[in-house]
Amino acid sequence: MRSRYTSCILHCALALVVAMAIVSCSDDNEPYPSLITEMAMSSSDAKCIFSSFTTDDGHTFQITNPLKGPTPNVRWRFICGYVKEDEQQARVYTFIKVPLLSDFSSYDNPRRDPTGLASIWKSRGYINLHLLPKTQGGKQAWGFLRDSAHVNGAGGTNYYLSLSHYQLDDAKAYTEDLFVGLDLDSVAVSRTTSDSLIFSLRTFEGTRSWTFNAQ
């Protein structure tokens, strides 16, 4: 189980390098494109081709330079860097897969090893985290924990969640960027405006918590 999730640091780092190389390969005399970078969703077809994507504000673009992934018929969340060609079409320059956190609540003695954090925000049914883990290029494991759930004063439910992190044997040599997401449907499929999500994370400076509307 653990190996499925511990590879995400190396995967994200490699994708970031490749994506940056794609953006920077234009001629120096060419004007730099007005690149928009945001979270999006996309699905590959039977031939592993991603031909469109939908941003978190619900806008769908057809990709004018379709991208080929490693797996057919999969749905990915990713960081997309693109240039709009019109209101329906866009050219993609960066395409970085964002791993989704899995539920580690059933693990015995789950860990909450500290990590760095650049930012956390909610968009279109996801909690997005820009983490800054310390690594020496080894493996680490990431998931989320269901700590508790309680009825609140508005008649909804407060879901208390936290980040599960296993540093494992990876030395804390240098800081690396890691983007991960929490799909709120994996917490509760049916959610109302009275529901809240309280997410906690142990940083190197101590534990911090954020409250989001769960819908």
Side-chain angles (χ1 to χ4, degrees), residues 124-126 144 146 182-191 214:
R124 199 174 174 82
Y126 294 88
F144 76 92
R146 300 171 182 268
L182 171 61
D183 185 350
L184 297 187
D185 282 346
S186 65
V187 178
V189 175
S190 298
R191 303 183 304 276

Side-chain angles (χ1 to χ4, degrees), residues 59 71 159 189 214:
H59 195 107
T71 310
Y159 298 95
V189 175

